[in-house]
């Protein structure tokens, strides 16, 4: 996705500026991220400026990331989702974002830039980058779109044919949708909370394994080891691009989750702010958005990206009318700390068979 950078030798001032910029070491910037997001298609403009991409370190989930950062791991940028941003900020891990330094801030989808966890306390704490869905991905050669449902996950006929995520925050949204508690979420009553746990216990009877890396789900669906799984858009894209008949259930009446993730400026960042904002501007450029839509099946925060991307793919992934999609799906939001702690404890018990 890197575009050619042209420099006119006759313009000495411009050449001198470009040469000075090229001396900066792009790899000095450290990004703490999910595996796969080192893809250079996301930050082509940064490479144009610095001649190389940033350095990456990886986490498997946000719990792992939070623990590692609290223990002193250093990074300049990280990539959590909106429902944990305030927790990270409250722990002193983040510094606010200066939106005046973001070239594309005014081009972001209003429904994205106003999601819970982006702005709070009078400051902006996250630059939204990608958004998409967590939903039921199924083998479309085994099930029709009309028959598939969340309730099928508890059917004894599919024992050992189901895979769920290992993370409690992803799993709770499945239980909320399946039990019809979406209008109460995240302020669940005790009765609703217990119904969610009971549903997840019933599904546990059919679970082949709990995935911690989405490639585990990809491979199991591709081989037929499992027939259904609760996962992210990229799994569907990976399967279809490799000739595996698979679909994500996007019927908002049956249940689908939307999430927003983005980049945060770490408190202990030790590279110049200019370099951090160059990366943030590259990530939110419409070219980056076109790439993530077409290559990953995720949506992007920049509204202009949807005009640049393949319209058939935009339609197929359900992104042609983001406002309507947001209104119909369940959004991941920050949970009350006590509820989150209890949920994690209960989910670990469920995974252990209790």
């Amino acid at each position: 996705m890197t575009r050619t950078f042209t420099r006119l030798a006759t313009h000495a001032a411009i050449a001198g500026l470009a040469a000075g910029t090229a001396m900066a070491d792009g790899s000095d910037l450290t990004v703490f991220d999910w595996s796969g997001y080192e893809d250079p298609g996301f930050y082509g403009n940064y490479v144009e400026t610095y001649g190389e991409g940033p350095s990456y370190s990886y986490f498997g989930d946000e719990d792992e990331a939070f623990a590692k950062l609290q223990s002193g791991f250093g990074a300049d940028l990280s990539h959590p989702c909106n429902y944990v941003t305030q927790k990270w900020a409250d722990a002193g891990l983040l510094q606010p974002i200066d939106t005046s330094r973001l070239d594309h801030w005014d081009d972001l989808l209003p429904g994205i830039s106003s999601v819970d966890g982006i702005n709070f306390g009078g400051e902006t704490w996250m630059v939204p980058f990608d958004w998409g869905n967590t939903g039921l991905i199924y083998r479309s050669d085994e099930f029709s779109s009309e028959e598939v449902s969340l309730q099928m996950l508890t059917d004894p006929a599919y024992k050992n044919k189901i895979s769920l995520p290992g993370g409690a925050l992803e799993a709770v949204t499945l239980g909320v949708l399946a039990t019809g508690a979406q209008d109460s979420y995240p302020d669940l009553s005790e009765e609703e909370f217990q119904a969610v746990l009971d549903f997840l216990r019933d599904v546990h009877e059919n679970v082949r394994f709990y995935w911690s890396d989405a490639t585990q789900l990809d491979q199991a669906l591709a081989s037929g080891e499992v027939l259904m799984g609760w996962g992210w858009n990229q799994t569907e894209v990976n399967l279809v691009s490799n000739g595996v008949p698979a679909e994500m259930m996007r019927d908002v009446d049956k249940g689908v989750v939307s999430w927003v993730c983005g980049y945060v400026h770490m408190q202990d960042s030790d590279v110049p702010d200019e370099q951090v904002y160059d990366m943030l501007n590259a990530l939110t450029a419409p070219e980056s958005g076109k790439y993530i839509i077409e290559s990953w099946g995720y949506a992007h925060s920049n509204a202009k990206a949807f005009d640049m991307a393949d319209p058939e793919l935009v339609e197929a992934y359900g992104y042609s009318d983001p406002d309507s999609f947001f209104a119909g799906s369940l959004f991941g939001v920050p949970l009350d700390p006590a509820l989150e702690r209890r949920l994690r404890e209960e989910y670990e018990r469920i995974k252990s068979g209790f």
Side-chain angles (χ1 to χ4, degrees):
M1 197 64 181
T2 303
R3 294 172 294 173
T4 303
F5 181 73
T6 304
R7 193 166 56 199
L8 299 178
T10 55
H11 292 180
I14 297 176
L17 176 62
T21 302
M23 292 176 62
D25 189 347
S27 63
D28 284 347
L29 180 77
T30 298
V31 184
F32 191 33
D33 215 325
W34 308 86
S35 177
Y37 280 88
E38 72 279 7
D39 189 329
F42 296 151
Y43 49 85
N45 293 344
Y46 180 88
V47 176
E48 287 179 3
T49 301
Y50 294 94
E52 61 183 331
S55 300
Y56 278 83
S57 295
Y58 305 103
F59 55 82
D61 59 40
E62 288 143 324
D63 289 342
E64 175 191 336
F66 183 71
K68 192 169 182 179
L69 290 165
Q70 280 200 307
S71 70
F73 178 79
D76 302 296
L77 291 170
S78 191
H79 187 188
C81 296
N82 65 297
Y83 45 79
V84 300
T85 312
Q86 185 157 2
K87 176 181 177 180
W88 287 27
D90 290 346
L93 298 176
L94 309 182
Q95 53 183 294
I97 300 293
D98 181 355
T99 59
S100 71
R101 303 181 71 169
L102 297 174
D103 296 344
H104 308 290
W105 183 255
D106 291 340
D107 296 327
L108 301 190
L109 291 162
I112 291 294
S113 57
S114 61
V115 166
D116 286 350
I118 306 296
N119 310 286
F120 49 87
E123 301 279 5
T124 298
W125 296 91
M126 173 188 282
V127 180
F129 171 61
D130 52 335
W131 60 276
N133 309 117
T134 305
L136 184 62
I137 302 169
Y138 59 95
R139 286 287 299 251
S140 54
D141 56 342
E142 296 284 343
F143 310 103
S144 68
S145 59
E146 291 77 20
E147 69 177 314
V148 72
S149 71
L150 299 182
Q151 287 67 36
M152 290 175 64
L153 296 174
T154 64
D155 189 330
Y158 305 116
K159 188 173 182 62
N160 293 325
K161 290 298 182 180
I162 308 298
S163 181
L164 295 187
L169 295 181
E170 288 91 358
V172 69
T173 55
L174 166 60
V176 165
L177 288 168
T179 58
Q182 53 266 43
D183 290 341
S184 301
Y185 187 73
D187 300 317
L188 300 175
S189 68
E190 180 62 24
E191 182 180 0
E192 290 170 327
F193 184 73
Q194 289 300 328
V196 167
L197 296 180
D198 289 343
F199 176 81
L200 293 174
R201 285 192 181 91
D202 289 342
V203 179
H204 174 78
E205 297 300 317
N206 290 339
V207 169
R208 176 76 170 180
F209 65 91
Y210 290 89
W211 60 266
S212 58
D213 185 317
T215 56
Q216 296 172 295
L217 178 60
D218 298 359
Q219 293 166 1
L221 282 165
S223 68
E225 180 184 0
V226 301
L227 300 180
M228 293 178 281
W230 191 243
W232 304 321
N233 304 61
Q234 191 189 2
T235 289
E236 178 191 32
V237 174
N238 289 343
L239 292 171
V240 172
S241 64
N242 284 287
V244 179
E247 290 184 20
M248 174 181 278
M249 188 181 74
R250 289 188 174 83
D251 186 334
V252 294
D253 293 327
K254 291 185 176 183
V256 65
V257 175
S258 291
W259 46 261
V260 177
C261 300
Y263 285 88
V264 292
H265 192 183
M266 306 309 299
Q267 182 63 49
D268 63 355
S269 173
D270 60 4
V271 301
D273 285 355
E274 179 182 6
Q275 192 166 354
V276 169
Y277 281 90
D278 283 340
M279 182 63 173
L280 293 173
N281 284 323
L283 289 163
T284 51
E287 295 86 356
S288 174
K290 177 180 186 295
Y291 181 82
I292 196 170
I293 293 168
E294 294 180 347
S295 300
W296 282 52
Y298 292 165
H300 192 256
S301 58
N302 193 320
K304 293 182 177 179
F306 298 88
D307 295 329
M308 297 176 62
D310 183 332
E312 291 186 3
L313 291 178
V314 171
E315 177 71 26
Y317 297 144
Y319 302 143
S320 56
D321 186 0
D323 290 340
S324 295
F325 196 81
F326 293 161
S329 62
L330 178 68
F331 250 101
V333 295
L335 297 181
D336 174 79
L339 176 62
E340 180 181 339
R341 200 161 44 245
R342 185 181 174 201
L343 171 65
R344 293 183 190 281
E345 293 170 355
E346 292 290 352
Y347 194 51
E348 288 305 312
R349 286 173 49 80
I350 290 170
K351 290 192 294 181
S352 299
F354 296 101

